[in-house]
Amino acid sequence: MLVLTRKKGQAVIIGGQIRITVADVSGETVRVGIEAPPHLDIYREEIYRAIMEENASSITDNKGLREMLAQNNGEETKKED
Amino acid sequence: MGGPATERVPENTEKSGSHPGLVVSFPWGMPGLDCREYILSPVAPESPFYFLQSAEQPGVGLILINPFAVFSDYEFELEEDSAGRLKLTDPEKAAVFCTVNASRGMESATVNLMAPIVINMENLVGKQVVLNDKRYSLRTPLAIMRKKK
């Protein structure tokens, strides 16, 4: 990992297209400003990872879908009783 | 960048999602999934459930739900940045779905209200967006939502 020291207001440029600016520093909190091309999505890492894991564990196939629907229909039938 | 949220997503999922087998592209992908092209179809007429089948990987699909059908209070403002990327100028053209995680069985199925999928039904481009709203969890039990209803 490349580690650089920057002061408030200073920036780094990545690939000539992405600019990350240190907007503010307060104690242990650093605010960064990010300018990047619109085709790139930007996430807080922990949120990206959580969504990635949730999406991955939600993946199913046609068989899984049929099983889910069968269980769901069963539940709805029960409620009607 | 980003800017204030302005565009309100209407509750029109049922109406616009009712065409069977629409090819929807996700140019920015979705975290944890490798595909960019999917086929969206309702599982049955009148059902709140939809299936998003990868057009590239046969075994890969996601069960989706029309969140408004089970969670009547659900609402969010689509960020200007996302609306712009989806080329969504008319909120009426947006359809909203949430992924269902039924991997632990239907009784403990959860819905991802925090990262809904927004599809522009005009150009059939979709994006999974992240809401900055503490009310909405990544794993909201489907059963609880149904009881509330």
Side-chain angles (χ1 to χ4, degrees), chain B residues 105-125:
Chain B
M106 198 54 199
E107 267 178 43
S108 29
T110 57
V111 178
N112 182 351
L113 294 179
M114 193 181 105
I117 290 171
V118 180
I119 298 174
N120 179 348
M121 298 307 284
E122 220 166 29
N123 61 8
L124 295 174
V125 172

Side-chain angles (χ1 to χ4, degrees), chain A residues 34-44 47-48 50-62 64-65 67-69 71-72 75-76 78-79, chain B residues 1 28 30-33 43 49-51 53 58-63 85 99-103 105-107 110 112 114-115 127-128 130 132 138-139 146:
Chain A
I34 304 154
E35 292 158 272
H39 67 273
L40 294 176
D41 267 331
I42 300 161
Y43 300 91
R44 288 174 176 82
I47 290 172
Y48 182 82
I51 294 168
M52 189 174 77
E53 281 166 23
E54 189 53 24
N55 279 350
S57 74
S58 300
I59 291 173
T60 186
D61 54 12
N62 267 312
L65 174 70
E67 282 169 8
M68 185 283 284
L69 290 173
Q71 283 182 44
N72 187 55
E75 268 177 42
E76 276 176 7
K78 259 187 273 164
K79 274 177 204 158
Chain B
M1 246 180 265
W28 306 277
M30 283 189 272
L33 292 148
V43 299
F49 293 103
Y50 292 77
F51 196 56
Q53 167 69 55
V60 173
L62 289 170
I63 298 166
R85 293 211 226 171
T99 58
V100 177
N101 187 343
S103 61
M106 198 54 199
E107 267 178 43
T110 57
N112 182 351
M114 193 181 105
K127 187 177 191 300
Q128 188 171 29
V130 182
N132 224 334
L138 211 60
R139 286 190 171 185
R146 290 192 156 173

Side-chain angles (χ1 to χ4, degrees), chain B residues 70-81:
Chain B
V70 285
F71 194 25
S72 51
D73 294 339
Y74 190 57
E75 57 168 15
F76 63 88
E77 305 233 339
L78 188 63
E79 279 185 11
E80 225 171 68
D81 180 59

